[in-house]
Amino acid sequence: MYDCLQDSYTDFSFANFDAVGRPRPLCGSLSASPLTPTDAPALQQLADFAHELGYELDRNGEHLTVQDISLLDALNINARFGGELLISCDLRRDPPARF
């Protein structure tokens, strides 16, 4: 499970590689919006940062979505921008992990 308040995850395991050794990371979309109107510049800073990492972005006013983001980059973005932006992330693995 991921604890966004502590920016950590626990009791979470999955195989990083499939049967033939190909990476199978978690990835998905990350959404962000400013906590207050004065935090709006942080949204542009996030957009610039994600663009530098090579991610595709969708922006609709004060709402930004980063497409196909990895778990590690999502954690880094949360650590860097979590104080000024409301961040939500939906990560999945294809195919889903089975326990």
Side-chain angles (χ1 to χ4, degrees):
M1 293 178 94
Y2 177 70
D3 179 357
C4 62
L5 293 175
Q6 301 298 318
D7 195 24
S8 65
Y9 58 96
T10 59
D11 297 326
F12 186 81
S13 65
F14 62 92
N16 285 324
F17 300 92
D18 66 10
V20 295
R22 291 180 300 216
R24 296 172 71 180
L26 291 172
C27 65
S29 62
L30 179 141
S31 300
S33 57
L35 289 173
T36 67
T38 60
D39 294 324
L43 195 64
Q44 184 58 49
Q45 292 171 358
L46 169 56
D48 295 340
F49 180 71
H51 183 72
E52 288 174 12
L53 294 175
Y55 289 109
E56 289 187 32
L57 309 171
D58 292 327
R59 185 141 186 201
N60 185 6
E62 294 298 310
H63 184 80
L64 177 72
T65 303
V66 181
Q67 302 295 332
D68 297 322
I69 193 164
S70 70
L71 172 62
L72 181 59
D73 287 342
L75 291 172
N76 287 333
I77 285 173
N78 189 56
R80 184 171 175 177
F81 298 101
E84 299 139 327
L85 300 174
L86 178 62
I87 296 175
S88 174
C89 196
D90 179 23
L91 301 175
R92 298 171 188 264
R93 188 181 88 163
D94 187 30
R98 301 205 188 280
F99 296 97

